[in-house]
Amino acid sequence: MESSSRGKPGLNGSGGGGLDYYGSRRGYYAGAGAGGAVLPPLAGAAARAPPVDPCCVALRVFVLAATLVAAVVMAADRQSTTVQAAGGGGELLQRVPVTAKWTYSSAFVYLVVANTMVFAFCAAALAACRRRSAVVPVMVGDLVALALLFSAVGAAAQFGLLGERGNAHVRWAKVCDVYGRFCERAMAAVAVSLIAAFADLVLLMLNILTIHKASSYY
């Protein structure tokens, strides 16, 4: 009579089917010690690249192009004109040449720097879109880019409105009637930056939704 402790085929690997059974499920039961926890296979999933969403890639390219356009338009904004200078008695003396440049305003400088930084980040994010380990850093970078764009747009828009309308309470005169072309280009750069900020917001929401759907906890 055979001993009851003798293994049976398919249970302890002595038979042909047992080795295949445990070999095919080694990834599921590896580390199932205390509590018998079942772990999913991670080796193949970690090596496999995440799928690329065409909509997210298109939005990323749009933000890349919009920030580049806004930075170039604002950095090239300059206008030279002449104004009439009055003497102490109110008589017109001569026409004096004056120049408006984006470097004369800290808000416009911040707008150019913010758009340049977001452009560089979007280029790096597009290069790393196939890497699974870059998902979380890219999302954090999107949050920082969103904060940069909205804050820069707010500061530049406020300075632009001040130049367009002035401020009677502190006796600041408007200057856009003198530098009309300069103000128009500055406001165009602000508008493009605002559109890029909203596109980056939509991109961030899509990435969060994708991770939420792919999570095994929900």
Side-chain angles (χ1 to χ4, degrees), residues 91-114:
E91 298 179 357
L92 295 178
L93 297 180
Q94 59 181 352
R95 298 184 66 87
V96 179
V98 290
T99 302
K101 294 177 61 177
W102 64 278
T103 53
Y104 295 162
S105 168
S106 58
F108 292 157
V109 172
Y110 180 38
L111 183 69
V112 173
V113 172

Side-chain angles (χ1 to χ4, degrees), residues 79-85 94-100 104 178-179:
Q79 183 181 0
S80 297
T81 184
T82 56
V83 295
Q84 291 180 341
Q94 59 181 352
R95 298 184 66 87
V96 179
V98 290
T99 302
Y104 295 162
V178 178
Y179 306 105

Side-chain angles (χ1 to χ4, degrees), residues 122-134:
C122 287
L126 283 175
C129 65
R130 295 291 298 176
R131 297 175 56 185
R132 184 176 296 274
S133 60

